[in-house]
Amino acid sequence: MQADRLAYRKQVEAWMGEQAKAGVLVGGEAFETESVPPVTVRREDDGIPKATEGPFSNSEETLGGYVLVEAADRDAAVDIAKTWPTPESLEIRPLWTAE
């Protein structure tokens, strides 16, 4: 598993370099997923925020980080995501902008 992580990291670093050269990479970060578990904070119906150990979803998949790219439109963002080098799932979302 650790060998896979190192190989994936090299592939992702290369991919990020390619996107930077293409002028579409804005930024991104990996999340710590090994030693520090996530905490989910929700405001309950009574209005009181509650913190619980663990991710927001009871799923096998975890949120490992984010990558921010600048694309002309959604289809272009999807095309960029299709070049991701490792087998993780990616979710494409636009940034919210105030009007």
Side-chain angles (χ1 to χ4, degrees), residues 47-59:
I48 298 172
K50 180 180 176 185
T52 55
E53 290 286 328
F56 73 95
S57 173
N58 292 328
S59 171

Side-chain angles (χ1 to χ4, degrees), residues 6-66:
L6 294 175
Y8 285 1
R9 173 176 246 164
K10 288 183 186 289
Q11 291 174 34
V12 169
E13 287 172 352
W15 182 89
M16 302 260 304
E18 292 167 9
Q19 302 314 309
K21 284 180 187 172
V24 299
L25 181 67
V26 176
E29 295 291 336
F31 296 139
E32 169 57 61
T33 59
E34 291 291 313
S35 62
V36 181
V39 174
T40 298
V41 177
R42 285 193 175 95
R43 191 166 300 275
E44 300 292 325
D45 291 337
D46 60 8
I48 298 172
K50 180 180 176 185
T52 55
E53 290 286 328
F56 73 95
S57 173
N58 292 328
S59 171
E60 298 236 352
E61 291 187 357
T62 62
L63 186 60
Y66 70 94

